Amino acid sequence: MSTDSATGSATDLGLPGLRTGTEGVPTIGEGETQTGKDFTSDQEVRWCPGCGDYAVLKAVQSFLPDLGLRRENIVFVSGIGCSSRFPYYLDTYGMHSIHGRAPSIATGIATAREDLSVWVVTGDGDALSIGGNHLIHALRRNVNMTILLFNNRIYGLTKGQYSPTSETGKVTKSTPMGSVDHPFNPVSLALGAEASFVARTIDSDRKHLTSVLAAAAAHRGTSLVEIYQNCPIFNDGAFDAIKNPDTKADAIIPLVHGEPIRFGTPLESGLGSKALVRDPAGSGVLVVDSADVDEADVLVHDAHHPDPSTAFAISRLTDSGYLNQSPIGIFRQVERATYDDQARAQITTARGGAADDDQQSRLAALIGAGDTWTVV
Amino acid sequence: MTKQVKQLDRVIIRFAGDSGDGMQLTGDRFTQESAVFGNDLVTLPNFPAEIRAPQGTLPGVSSFQVHFADHDILTAGDAPDVLVAMNPAALRANLGDLPVGATIIVDTHDFTARNLAKAGYEANPLDGDDLAEFAVHPVDLTGMTVAAVKEFGLSRKDAARAKNMFALGLLSWMYGRPTESTITFLERRFAKVPDIRDANVTAFKAGWNFGETTETFIVRYEIKPAPMAAGTYRNITGNLALAYGLVAGGVQSGLQVFLGSYPITPASDILHELSKHKSFGVTTFQAEDEIAGVGAAIGASFAGHLGVTTTSGPGIALKSEAIGLAVMTELPLLVIDVQRGGPSTGLPTKTEQADLLQAMFGRNGEAPVPIVAPRSPGDCFDAALEAARIAITYRTPVMLLSDGYLANGSEPWRIPEVSELPAIDPAFATVPNHGDGDEAEFWPYERDAETLARPWAIPGTPGLEHRIGGLEKGDGHGNISYDPANHDYMVRTRQAKVDRIAASLPPLEVDDPDGAAKVLVLGWGSTYGPIGAGVRRVRKAGYQVAQAHLRHLNPFPQDLGEILRRYDRVLVPEMNLGQLSLLLRAKYLVDVVGYNEVRGLPLKAAVLADVIGGLVAEAEGIEVDLVTSPAGTGTTDGEDDIA
Ligand SMILES: Cc1ncc(C[n+]2csc(CCOP(=O)(O)OP(=O)(O)O)c2C)c(N)n1
Ligand code: SF4
Ligand SMILES: [Mg+2]
């Protein structure tokens, strides 16, 4: 690991043979440069004015050159939804596929080709409703790819029905008396599926978003990045509490690996007025007044802990109703063998150095094996 | 004791027992012995959907039928000449299929009051004269097996389990089968458990010796090897041949095969088999469901592999939307449907051909998909290669319709020379294809003038970055387009591309020996054998009938319409309610006659012969008599099937 993201999460775990997410992907030559413009396609962007998707697109376009990868070796795959139009606006290889299935298509791409940097763009409906099965299985397999989950807590493209992340009671066209569905917390879900990299960020915080993207790309395995994304048309203001300068200090619980978790309006000391501590009575974590705890008792964020329990407990501090409080940052980042690396390694082992031009004679041996007899 | 030896030209044996009795293995070994001996043969395994239905009951009966002959045969036979029944349920379940005079060998050991009751017998059928029409040989196979393997100190249960090998030994003796391959097989299979290995080999030999010494069996039969075209042969099931065909598709195209699949009967064996061939660069991905299986295959194809997905009918239903995506993105993809009885879960272990219309039309929008179908187990190899050729050349998903009968049935297969297999050129795009010089661009939907195929530019190719997807494409440049005229044009173009495949197909072979037949029998898929056998019967009785069999169901061969019109009557036998008939009537306005059965079993040659005979009588205005045949041609002896 060698990332220097603003999350400060990059630490060498000292494990042998670990590789970064982009290892094996060809890089641009020395002296060559790339800019955001190189990654911008000639297609007109067609989201509604003010849509949070614009900010994410800009951030990604300006971040991709930093990876230093060859543009032709980057693939974006999306499902269906407003956010899933994303690949059309990037001048890389891309596929705008079908509703919910992008993770499975990306699994095929990533497993087939080590030399590609594979990205999935999906929405809360796409990833968690119709595609929920593919999402959890991608996470458990740990296929080397980065999933950007645009969570606007609504179905945008179909014009405003509630989604699997909408709060209970939400009034939409399909729930005139309020939704009676209990929402998913995407981070909790991903942690439950044993994802090796789980993060949350916000469309409007370019710096944080970029740092999380960098860490996600550097991670080998499936990186799930939940992006809070405002839909001004059908769910405007869903994230106001964490965006409003007056409230955000109390609403955002910032997660930085190795740092004590404090937030809230700063005290005179400059430290946040609130802190996380372990719940002495149970397995969870609690939000307490900073003033009431010893420095030593404040929970220090450990994204690399092999046991996801604490990360999960932190994820439960996310409001499931209107979002007045939410942890933001990298919840978990652990090394685990990836499906695609192992699948390719089995092929390499099975091949045992057999030359490609030998295929036909080996085919003849294969089909000619077993109990045979010859008629003359 | 002197034994008589009788010459036969063909025999149909059915091994039947409880699901746990190892009948599939027994049948398979007998088949291998017969194959190595040089007989022509066709097999029909038949087993319950439950892994172990309650022991001793009718639903728990599993059977394996093998038809072997000294001449070329086409089916597993309508009715067994010999039934080996390992328990009362096996006897009862199969008795109805036996012709008068058939031989029955029963293991008497399990004919206890309890087992008789489980099978629904009130009295022991071996005691009365219920079976008077048959030649019954009651033998205590289990008892003799246990005695023979005593020295290995196995539990009684384990010892008794070798009874199938005793039965195999006895039958091998009766029909003069070579035994080495079975002994080698047992030694290999049970290498890690020496007592079980020795018990099985001993039981097998004891069964043989029992035949040799007992007075119960005084006749041995000899079925000479069948003349076959020169070459090296092996016995092969459809699923194995299909898996080999997919490996061959990879080798011949230079593409790595990527299989995305979710287990389902009767297709799973293809997944199992391909999983063994990683040394050919084959990736097998066992997905979380059928949709993910096809999704991953599409992703792999986008990335430049040969994407394949294998399933049966219910899986195709789940994959439909993704297959539509492959139609729209115009990526090569092989979709293998090993059909089984439907609808819904239907008859998982039985055969049927009722997915043709699903393959043809089972997608939203105008989404044409080429369809190919193998006609016999060995033919699955060629069909897979042909599907790969079409998919890669025309950048399209291709549906291959096999079925449960082909999948598990087997036949001798002449192993092809690899050097004679067709080469397939993936012809990846490497440079911009639109405009000149510095202005040159890559247009992902600019088509080949002849095939209408679009270029296949894989990630990693500099300068050809492009986006594809399920939204309608503008002609040529491939950007999203909602233009009405463009949509109309693109819909027609995708159809025209599939239609153009017909130009690459050979003329349909029509077997009409004297060119004088008025009736044509047209089939597709696994009905080839029964239709061929039925046609032979009718011809043998002195009548004219033509036969043709379709490899390509979409598009049809270019000359099909003309061929259909050449005949007064066209009979289309199918294991469905008339799906090919519907397509033919719609496309050619020809009033074809269907013969349709959906019993989960292959069609019977004798039944088809009668149906064909009836049509010949109508078309030619003559009387058709298939039993007493005309002027001195003798009986129907020597034919494929006699029911
Ligand atoms: C199989 C299928 N079912 C339904 C739809 C309709 N549909 C398109 S997008 C969408 C929901 C998208 O919501 P989300 O994933 O949250 O994306 P957003 O538009 O909010 O970015 C639905 C239901 C479809 N395209 N395909
Ligand atoms: S509907 Fe909402 S999510 Fe979709 S483009 Fe408009 S603002 Fe964005
Ligand atoms: Mg949404």
Side-chain angles (χ1 to χ4, degrees):
Chain A
M1 290 290 316
S2 63
T3 28
D4 247 337
S5 77
T7 57
S9 62
T11 329
D12 188 347
L13 297 179
L15 300 173
L18 292 177
R19 309 164 68 205
T20 71
T22 54
E23 206 171 315
V25 183
T27 49
I28 53 172
E30 218 163 297
E32 279 182 62
T33 51
Q34 297 181 134
T35 66
K37 222 167 154 247
D38 297 320
F39 284 87
T40 306
S41 79
D42 60 357
Q43 295 300 293
E44 182 198 350
V45 185
R46 294 201 193 147
W47 289 305
C48 309
C51 177
D53 292 351
Y54 282 102
V56 185
L57 177 63
K58 270 271 161 277
V60 169
Q61 281 168 340
S62 60
F63 155 76
L64 283 177
D66 298 345
L67 284 175
L69 303 176
R70 299 194 65 88
R71 201 157 50 94
E72 64 269 21
N73 290 81
I74 298 178
V75 184
F76 274 77
V77 185
S78 62
I80 298 290
C82 296
S83 38
S84 288
R85 296 293 174 94
F86 209 88
Y88 289 118
Y89 308 134
L90 292 172
D91 201 4
T92 63
Y93 281 87
M95 194 193 300
H96 177 219
S97 73
I98 45 177
H99 202 17
R101 318 302 173 193
S104 60
I105 291 165
T107 295
I109 298 173
T111 305
R113 298 273 302 271
E114 180 179 24
D115 63 332
L116 302 178
S117 169
V118 181
W119 299 71
V120 168
V121 174
T122 180
D124 44 320
D126 196 58
L128 301 170
S129 218
I130 194 166
N133 199 31
H134 307 309
L135 180 75
I136 55 173
H137 287 279
L139 295 173
R140 113 183 131 77
R141 285 190 192 103
N142 203 29
V143 182
N144 190 23
M145 60 184 171
T146 299
I147 301 177
L148 307 181
L149 196 172
F150 288 54
N151 184 7
N152 52 11
R153 305 188 73 185
I154 201 80
Y155 285 1
L157 192 69
T158 46
K159 299 194 180 346
Q161 301 83 2
Y162 76 106
S163 90
T165 57
S166 299
E167 61 275 22
T168 306
K170 181 140 199 111
V171 174
T172 70
K173 279 179 200 153
S174 59
T175 51
M177 295 174 70
S179 152
V180 293
D181 269 11
H182 182 77
F184 266 144
N185 173 333
V187 168
S188 298
L189 181 82
L191 290 168
E194 298 189 38
S196 60
F197 183 105
V198 185
R200 176 183 285 152
T201 183
I202 307 168
D203 56 1
S204 52
D205 186 345
R206 173 93 161 251
K207 200 165 146 236
H208 190 261
L209 176 60
T210 306
S211 73
V212 168
L213 291 179
H219 177 75
R220 198 164 190 88
T222 309
S223 306
L224 180 94
V225 180
E226 182 192 8
I227 304 172
Y228 283 153
Q229 172 242 324
N230 192 40
C231 167
I233 306 296
F234 297 112
N235 201 17
D236 197 23
F239 307 105
D240 271 4
I242 57 168
K243 293 187 177 185
N244 184 330
D246 297 337
T247 53
K248 71 184 215 188
D250 285 311
I252 293 178
I253 306 175
L255 303 176
V256 180
H257 178 73
E259 302 272 321
I261 309 175
R262 292 179 188 276
F263 67 111
T265 323
L267 302 170
E268 268 165 37
S269 62
L271 295 174
S273 58
K274 297 182 205 169
L276 296 198
V277 295
R278 289 193 183 280
D279 178 359
S283 56
V285 294
L286 295 176
V287 176
V288 295
D289 274 346
S290 260
D292 300 344
V293 281
D294 283 352
E295 177 68 31
D297 289 337
V298 175
L299 187 66
V300 174
H301 184 47
D302 182 3
H304 300 163
H305 202 292
D307 181 347
S309 307
T310 304
F312 186 83
I314 295 171
S315 77
R316 304 312 299 160
L317 299 174
T318 317
D319 283 329
S320 61
Y322 184 77
L323 201 73
N324 284 311
Q325 175 180 288
S326 176
I328 303 284
I330 297 171
F331 288 74
R332 176 171 168 82
Q333 181 179 14
V334 296
E335 301 294 346
R336 177 153 70 81
T338 72
Y339 176 87
D340 50 311
D341 281 333
Q342 295 179 91
R344 284 187 298 262
Q346 285 191 341
I347 288 178
T348 309
T349 305
R351 279 192 153 170
D356 271 354
D357 55 8
D358 193 29
Q359 295 260 58
Q360 288 206 326
S361 54
R362 291 194 305 117
L363 175 63
L366 172 70
I367 63 178
D371 292 335
T372 62
W373 69 98
T374 299
V375 176
V376 285
Chain B
M1 187 192 343
T2 46
K3 303 268 181 181
Q4 298 172 24
V5 176
K6 260 195 182 167
Q7 298 284 335
L8 293 178
D9 58 357
R10 56 185 211 94
V11 178
I12 302 163
I13 300 178
R14 185 182 293 177
F15 296 93
D18 207 54
S19 305
D21 286 345
M23 290 299 101
Q24 300 304 320
L25 175 69
T26 311
D28 196 51
R29 288 320 313 165
F30 191 91
T31 303
Q32 290 296 347
E33 292 173 2
S34 301
V36 171
F37 182 73
N39 293 129
D40 194 13
L41 59 88
V42 181
T43 67
L44 173 64
N46 192 357
F47 41 86
E50 295 75 21
I51 302 304
R52 291 281 159 89
Q55 211 185 357
T57 61
L58 293 176
V61 174
S62 164
S63 71
F64 189 105
Q65 183 164 315
V66 49
H67 181 189
F68 57 105
D70 69 358
H71 56 281
D72 149 45
I73 54 170
L74 294 165
T75 76
D78 287 359
D81 303 310
V82 181
L83 171 69
V84 179
M86 302 303 282
N87 67 7
L91 177 63
R92 195 180 165 113
N94 291 288
L95 200 58
D97 293 341
L98 300 186
V100 170
T103 298
I104 303 177
I105 298 169
V106 265
D107 181 0
T108 54
H109 192 266
D110 271 352
F111 278 64
T112 58
R114 197 165 156 237
N115 281 316
L116 287 164
K118 272 201 225 168
Y121 278 121
E122 280 167 15
N124 189 340
L126 301 178
D127 293 343
D129 40 44
D130 287 2
L131 304 178
E133 295 177 319
F134 308 105
V136 184
H137 299 281
V139 192
D140 183 2
L141 295 174
T142 305
M144 284 190 285
T145 305
V146 172
V149 306
K150 217 187 201 141
E151 56 176 305
F152 305 110
L154 298 174
S155 70
R156 209 194 130 74
K157 200 168 146 228
D158 277 349
R161 286 182 77 166
K163 68 184 171 192
N164 62 334
M165 286 302 117
F166 189 97
L168 178 63
L170 174 58
L171 273 287
S172 299
W173 169 80
M174 251 169 119
Y175 293 96
R177 307 286 91 183
T179 54
E180 302 76 27
S181 69
T182 292
I183 292 172
T184 319
F185 169 86
L186 291 171
E187 284 172 350
R188 236 184 281 147
R189 171 141 180 171
F190 298 113
K192 291 205 183 106
V193 269
D195 358 337
I196 307 271
R197 173 196 64 201
D198 296 345
N200 274 287
V201 172
T202 304
F204 178 63
K205 289 181 176 165
W208 175 285
N209 293 336
F210 173 69
E212 186 83 16
T213 50
T214 181
E215 291 179 21
T216 315
F217 298 101
I218 46 169
V219 189
R220 287 185 79 177
Y221 301 91
E222 200 172 272
I223 298 93
K224 295 230 162 70
M228 292 190 196
T232 300
Y233 288 78
R234 66 184 283 176
N235 188 52
I236 201 159
T237 63
N239 272 349
L240 183 59
L242 188 41
Y244 285 173
L246 294 171
V247 173
V251 171
Q252 294 303 100
S253 61
L255 298 175
Q256 281 187 249
V257 172
F258 184 105
L259 173 69
S261 185
Y262 187 75
I264 187 168
T265 302
S268 302
D269 280 340
I270 306 173
L271 165 64
H272 304 160
E273 184 62 32
L274 283 176
S275 300
K276 296 184 204 160
H277 302 304
K278 297 186 167 58
S279 69
F280 286 91
V282 176
T283 304
T284 51
F285 169 61
Q286 183 177 314
E288 58 272 23
D289 62 21
E290 278 84 353
I291 304 174
V294 66
I298 291 172
S301 281
F302 182 61
H305 285 217
L306 177 56
V308 184
T309 190
T310 50
T311 188
S312 63
I316 296 292
L318 287 171
K319 292 174 197 290
S320 301
E321 190 195 11
I323 297 170
L325 175 69
V327 168
M328 200 65 158
T329 52
E330 303 191 36
L331 287 169
L333 174 72
L334 301 186
V335 183
I336 314 292
D337 177 0
V338 186
Q339 300 165 96
R340 62 189 221 181
S344 187
T345 310
L347 301 173
T349 59
K350 312 290 180 204
T351 196
E352 202 162 285
Q353 295 184 297
D355 292 351
L356 175 58
L357 295 183
Q358 177 177 230
M360 189 76 190
F361 300 121
R363 289 164 296 283
N364 59 305
E366 297 285 356
V369 169
I371 305 170
V372 301
R375 59 171 62 178
S376 71
D379 188 44
C380 289
F381 181 87
D382 294 329
L385 260 177
E386 171 65 353
R389 176 191 75 87
I390 295 174
I392 294 168
T393 310
Y394 293 85
R395 321 303 198 201
T396 175
V398 174
M399 194 82 77
L400 186 155
L401 295 180
S402 177
D403 66 31
Y405 176 47
L406 296 177
N408 294 315
S410 64
E411 65 172 356
W413 177 55
R414 198 177 70 79
I415 302 165
E417 291 295 336
V418 171
S419 58
E420 289 163 15
L421 299 178
I424 306 169
D425 183 6
F428 290 130
T430 51
V431 289
N433 59 351
H434 189 84
D436 300 308
D438 281 355
E439 299 291 286
E441 293 177 353
F442 177 63
W443 279 27
Y445 281 77
E446 189 142 295
R447 296 172 188 279
D448 179 88
E450 189 194 325
T451 60
L452 297 183
R454 76 173 191 90
W456 188 10
I458 64 171
T461 317
L464 307 194
E465 294 83 2
H466 65 283
R467 278 66 53 195
I468 56 175
L471 283 171
E472 184 59 282
K473 310 275 163 297
D475 175 35
H477 54 72
N479 293 323
I480 301 173
S481 166
Y482 300 110
D483 177 56
N486 176 75
H487 178 57
D488 188 80
Y489 177 82
M490 292 298 275
V491 165
R492 289 173 199 278
T493 304
R494 285 185 288 266
Q495 181 65 52
K497 179 178 82 166
V498 170
D499 292 344
R500 286 224 185 158
I501 295 167
S504 72
L505 307 182
L508 180 61
E509 265 179 51
V510 182
D511 173 29
D512 185 355
D514 302 319
K518 294 202 152 128
V519 174
L520 169 72
V521 190
L522 180 71
W524 67 280
S526 74
T527 53
Y528 175 72
I531 293 175
V535 163
R536 281 185 192 176
R537 281 176 178 240
V538 173
R539 287 187 188 152
K540 188 92 184 176
Y543 306 99
Q544 307 265 13
V545 57
Q547 187 193 355
H549 210 73
L550 293 171
R551 146 86 77 233
H552 298 94
L553 293 137
N554 191 33
F556 287 129
Q558 284 176 323
D559 52 353
L560 180 59
E562 186 264 316
I563 290 167
L564 292 177
R565 283 184 203 102
R566 242 192 268 158
Y567 292 89
D568 288 1
R569 305 307 299 269
V570 178
L571 176 69
V572 181
E574 293 181 87
M575 295 187 287
N576 59 39
L577 294 185
Q579 302 196 359
L580 175 61
S581 291
L582 183 94
L583 295 176
L584 295 171
R585 286 162 162 267
K587 176 148 179 142
Y588 300 108
L589 298 177
V590 167
D591 187 17
V592 303
V593 181
Y595 177 77
N596 305 91
E597 264 186 32
V598 273
R599 296 157 39 82
L601 293 167
L603 301 179
K604 291 197 163 155
V607 176
L608 288 174
D610 282 344
V611 178
I612 298 167
L615 273 189
V616 171
E618 255 177 68
E620 305 198 13
I622 54 170
E623 291 252 323
V624 168
D625 175 0
L626 298 179
V627 182
T628 39
S629 47
T633 50
T635 62
T636 51
D637 222 343
E639 256 189 33
D640 197 358
D641 303 285
I642 304 163

